[in-house]
Amino acid sequence: MKKLFFVLFYFISVQIIYAQFDYGLNAGVSISSKDALKVDNLENNLKGFYAGVYGEINFLILYLRPEINFIRSSSKINSIEYSETNFEIPISIGYKIFPLFSIYAGPNFTSNINRNFNDLSVNELKDKKNISFHLGTRLSFGPVSLNITYNEGKNETQLISNSSTIETGQINKSNRILKIGLSYSFD
């Protein structure tokens, strides 16, 4: 048992010592499916952009990549603008299939910073935080990478409005978002 523990400890120590650290910036667009906002009169998807920073620890063919992103999204409900700003921390565990191509997955922690309804007054706002799951692929060209990420999660957030322009009176928002972006490595 002691030999197994020593071999495991040695292997993990060598991996940490020879691990490479990378960091950089990322930005792109995010598009939700039409049912991401469950409202009767949704005119289009929740669209927006995101920007942030990342750090990456590389271990041979695996890597760990936490990010910090700000996401700004908007849509229209009954010709009324709905917008939101979120703070997001996705933590990806990736596998490098080829040196320039990898796949990744992991949890995504989101916290709402601001929601805005023009011409509506909102009575109640619950559950500003959400945990979801993401998976994606990354194609690297030197310091620039193309990232395609799908985010899936359930958020029981309800915005209850006292306006008669929204027939259902509440919005149940889920996270079904496709993000396409670029990242730039400073390493």
Side-chain angles (χ1 to χ4, degrees), residues 124-127 156-160 170-173:
E124 191 173 347
L125 174 60
K126 298 178 182 176
D127 300 333
E156 297 297 329
T157 299
Q158 293 186 350
L159 295 170
I160 300 171
Q170 64 182 351
I171 298 172
N172 293 324
K173 184 180 166 293

Side-chain angles (χ1 to χ4, degrees), residues 95-113:
Y95 174 69
K96 295 180 182 176
I97 298 173
F98 301 110
L100 303 177
F101 181 72
S102 66
I103 57 174
Y104 55 90
N108 192 17
F109 305 95
T110 305
S111 181
N112 182 261
I113 298 171

Side-chain angles (χ1 to χ4, degrees), residues 22-52:
D22 184 19
Y23 63 97
L25 301 173
N26 58 0
V29 295
S30 63
I31 305 163
S32 74
S33 61
K34 272 209 173 194
D35 61 348
L37 288 175
K38 294 187 178 166
V39 178
D40 292 337
N41 298 312
L42 181 65
E43 294 172 20
N44 52 38
N45 328 31
L46 193 60
K47 297 178 217 155
F49 63 91
Y50 70 94

Side-chain angles (χ1 to χ4, degrees), residues 37 49 58 62 64 80 91 98-99 106 113 127-129 133 136 140-141 148 153 155 162 165 174 178 186:
L37 288 175
F49 63 91
N58 294 292
L62 297 175
L64 178 67
I80 297 170
I91 299 174
F98 301 110
I113 298 171
D127 300 333
K128 289 183 145 187
K129 295 180 172 78
F133 182 78
S140 300
F141 306 99
I148 301 173
N155 185 353
N162 60 9
T165 58
S174 68
L178 179 68
F186 290 120

Side-chain angles (χ1 to χ4, degrees), residues 27 33 44-45 49 66 87 95-96 105 126 128 130 136 138 140 145 147 149 154 157 167-169 176 181 184:
S33 61
N44 52 38
N45 328 31
F49 63 91
F87 176 70
Y95 174 69
K96 295 180 182 176
K126 298 178 182 176
K128 289 183 145 187
N130 184 26
R138 182 171 292 114
S140 300
S145 296
N147 309 304
T149 307
K154 184 67 175 163
T157 299
E167 295 170 15
T168 60
R176 280 185 224 126
Y184 182 80

Side-chain angles (χ1 to χ4, degrees), residues 9 38 59 67 72 175 179 185:
F9 178 75
K38 294 187 178 166
F59 306 99
E67 299 178 14
R72 175 84 172 141
N175 288 333
K179 294 192 303 187
S185 170

